[in-house]
Amino acid sequence: MTRKLTVVFLATVAAGLGTVEASALPRCRAPVEGFATATGILGAGSEKARIEARHNWRATVARLYGPRYSDFRNAQGLQWDCKKGAILLAKCVVVARPCRY
């Protein structure tokens, strides 16, 4: 009897090792776009535009899905497109799937 209980216990423990808690999995939404333009020289405009595009993405996500999804560090599938425009204008667009854990 003791051996049978030991086998059942070990099988139960082994089965549980391969599972992942459902709350630990990310919950992601459809991709959201954030964009911005900025001026500057020697790459400063591109950096400003990149920062502002990230802020725009976070604000859009918070408005659409709530603040729990707006953490940029949890975003998946990040795609950046930053271009220098005419004269000193730079434009950045970021597209990413907002996720929460």
Side-chain angles (χ1 to χ4, degrees):
M1 183 70 169
T2 304
R3 181 181 166 110
K4 185 176 181 181
L5 287 175
T6 303
V7 170
V8 170
F9 173 75
L10 290 175
T12 304
V13 170
L17 290 177
T19 62
V20 175
E21 193 74 35
S23 63
L25 297 174
R27 294 183 181 129
C28 298
R29 300 292 188 141
V32 174
E33 179 181 277
F35 61 90
T37 59
T39 57
I41 59 172
L42 301 174
S46 295
E47 183 60 28
K48 288 180 198 174
R50 196 175 182 87
I51 291 168
E52 290 302 317
R54 189 177 318 126
H55 289 301
N56 180 259
W57 182 89
R58 291 181 66 209
T60 303
V61 168
R63 189 176 67 251
L64 292 173
Y65 303 122
R68 292 178 67 188
Y69 284 91
S70 66
D71 189 342
F72 197 73
R73 294 171 296 185
N74 292 335
Q76 293 184 356
L78 288 167
Q79 295 178 349
W80 285 96
D81 184 16
C82 294
K83 293 186 172 125
K84 293 179 183 176
I87 315 284
L88 301 173
L89 186 66
K91 178 182 179 184
C92 276
V93 177
V94 62
V95 178
R97 293 181 62 211
C99 299
R100 71 177 178 90
Y101 287 88

